[in-house]
Amino acid sequence: MPNPKSPNPLPASAIPEKPPNLSAHLPKLTPRRRQPPPSNPRPLPHTPTLPSPPLRTHLSFLRPTRRILSPKDHDLFLASSTYDLLLSFVFSLTDSVRDKRISDLKKCELSSTVKHILHVLDEVENVANQCPPEDQGGSRFGNKGFRNFLDALGSEHKAWHRKLGIEDPEAINEVSAYFLQSF
């Protein structure tokens, strides 16, 4: 019994003696080339060299205060070694992650310091969840929930600094100002 789904064979008279060359009508197969990464239209700035850290015996710690209050103060800061230190630190961080994808990072490759910092940030998030913003009837400023959040951070941050290896009370006092003001 013939299969109804099979095609009917062509009669011999319908098959040309010289079939046309269809390969001329097909596009040529070429391997795909990787696209070069987009070039940066601006040249990368020079990264200042990061000086070696000072000896711990030569360090002194002070609670920071606002010292840039005028354009003259700003110009003095831009000419200072502290500005060069901050600039080289930020540029070094930038250089360390250039051309790296977030997906390339694996948790097992993190240093213990980075793991401690991530743990502290998780704890800060827990404190933030415990201090939700309060409805103040449309007022944008001075939310009591935020003040409660800062008070809670004020009672927790010293233990977090110790987890990061900062033991000196004067050093904790100095770094605490930067930490608490970052929120």
Side-chain angles (χ1 to χ4, degrees):
M1 177 171 176
N3 185 353
K5 292 187 180 181
S6 66
N8 294 332
L10 291 174
S13 62
I15 300 173
E17 284 184 35
K18 291 184 178 181
N21 183 3
L22 297 178
S23 64
H25 299 287
L26 296 174
K28 184 179 177 182
L29 294 177
T30 57
R32 291 185 183 179
R33 293 188 182 129
R34 286 188 154 209
Q35 295 292 330
S39 63
N40 191 348
R42 295 182 184 173
L44 297 174
H46 170 70
T47 300
T49 56
L50 192 61
S52 56
L55 299 173
R56 289 185 180 224
T57 57
H58 293 100
L59 294 177
S60 61
F61 302 99
L62 298 171
R63 187 151 186 90
T65 58
R66 293 181 189 209
R67 308 251 332 251
I68 302 175
L69 304 173
S70 68
K72 181 182 177 186
D73 295 337
H74 185 249
D75 292 338
L76 286 171
F77 172 69
L78 293 177
S80 71
S81 60
T82 302
Y83 173 77
D84 293 337
L85 181 65
L86 287 171
L87 192 66
S88 62
F89 175 72
V90 170
F91 277 41
S92 296
L93 284 177
T94 302
D95 290 343
S96 71
V97 296
R98 183 174 288 121
D99 297 329
K100 291 189 172 75
R101 296 179 183 176
I102 292 176
S103 60
D104 294 339
L105 184 65
K106 295 181 177 47
K107 281 206 170 192
C108 61
E109 297 172 357
L110 300 177
S111 70
S112 62
T113 303
V114 171
K115 288 179 183 177
H116 285 304
I117 290 172
L118 291 174
H119 179 70
V120 167
L121 291 174
D122 287 339
E123 291 187 27
V124 169
E125 186 176 19
N126 290 338
V127 171
N129 291 335
Q130 295 169 6
C131 303
E134 296 180 13
D135 185 17
Q136 298 186 165
S139 176
R140 290 177 43 195
F141 303 102
N143 193 298
K144 292 178 185 174
F146 184 70
R147 284 187 242 152
N148 294 339
F149 169 70
L150 288 179
D151 291 342
L153 288 181
S155 64
E156 298 282 338
H157 74 277
K158 291 182 182 180
W160 296 337
H161 292 308
R162 286 190 185 92
K163 285 182 183 177
L164 293 171
I166 304 171
E167 297 293 337
D168 185 342
E170 291 177 355
I172 291 175
N173 186 35
E174 180 175 329
V175 77
S176 295
Y178 296 114
F179 178 74
L180 294 173
Q181 290 297 317
S182 69
F183 299 101

